[in-house]
Amino acid sequence: MPAPDLSAKRTAYDAWLAARTGRPAETVPGLSEALPFPLDPEGLARRGWSDLPLYWIPEPGIVYADGYGEDRAIYDTPIFNPEGVEPRTIHLGLDVFALPGTRVHAPLDGVMHSFQRNDNEKDYGPTIILEHEVTPELTFYTLYGHLSLDSLDGLEPRKPVSKGQEIARLGSNDVNGGWAPHLHFQVILDVSDKHGDFPGVCRKSEQEAWLTLCPDPEAFLGLGQRR
């Protein structure tokens, strides 16, 4: 569970977001025109799926994005659903589906906080976390999961990153944790002692606290209402 004292930081973040001028850089090319892609039971049923197919990829030139706060039916491995406890099904980030190798860009200036390969089944695979100090009083983080393995080459903690800079590429399903190719993008107000990893899914009973800690990525990215 997140620490209970997040309200002040969330208030500061929301105030910064409301006062922000200009848009962040497009994290994935074509994201501003992305189509919805729900993966809750109804969304899966509309596609005739019972799960997200491992080998599915978008049509060339099409980007899909969806999933923040979504109660999903695709988290069926022990990492999300250990025996005897409440499963984790509420998605805390935005999933952006595009072709393997698609470029990923930093939305804001920042520094490289941490990175690692999370190589468990249905995990993030190669992962990067950036740190953004947007005011003297407000620092937050953005996470990029399911990357290509070579995205981690040559990275150094605290190395500066510029808005719009290419930081990674999307990984294929043999390196990205075993998923159809996509970017998991998440805004995190406090990563605590985590390095190169952070929960991207929470229990339904704990979603209020986790969704406070991890604000809506669509609002951060300036995507607006796409439905």
Side-chain angles (χ1 to χ4, degrees), residues 40-125:
D40 57 4
E42 294 78 11
L44 290 173
R46 284 198 296 271
R47 289 181 170 267
W49 293 348
S50 60
D51 202 346
L52 174 63
L54 175 61
Y55 295 100
W56 180 83
I57 58 174
E59 305 88 332
I62 301 295
V63 174
Y64 294 93
D66 220 324
Y68 176 71
E70 192 171 71
D71 191 1
R72 290 183 162 179
I74 62 174
Y75 301 122
D76 52 4
T77 58
I79 192 173
F80 302 109
N81 193 9
E83 186 175 353
V85 299
E86 181 186 356
R88 294 188 295 134
T89 62
I90 303 298
H91 192 242
L92 299 173
L94 179 72
D95 280 345
V96 183
F97 290 85
L99 297 177
T102 298
R103 301 184 305 277
V104 178
H105 301 271
L108 300 177
D109 292 344
V111 298
M112 187 66 60
H113 175 270
S114 54
F115 48 89
Q116 71 178 23
R117 185 179 186 184
N118 298 295
D119 201 23
N120 299 308
E121 181 185 7
K122 297 295 186 180
D123 210 330
Y124 284 133

Side-chain angles (χ1 to χ4, degrees), residues 4 7 15 19 95 113 140 174 180:
S7 57
D95 280 345
H113 175 270
F140 61 87
D174 59 334

Side-chain angles (χ1 to χ4, degrees), residues 69-72 86-90 201-211:
E70 192 171 71
D71 191 1
R72 290 183 162 179
E86 181 186 356
R88 294 188 295 134
T89 62
I90 303 298
V201 185
C202 75
R203 297 182 177 92
K204 199 169 185 177
S205 64
E206 300 174 348
Q207 64 180 318
E208 182 178 358
W210 281 101
L211 294 176

Side-chain angles (χ1 to χ4, degrees), residues 166-188:
E166 182 181 322
I167 58 169
R169 291 182 179 258
L170 295 192
S172 54
N173 59 29
D174 59 334
V175 298
N176 75 355
W179 297 96
H182 71 286
L183 172 71
H184 175 94
F185 175 80
Q186 187 168 332
V187 181
I188 307 165

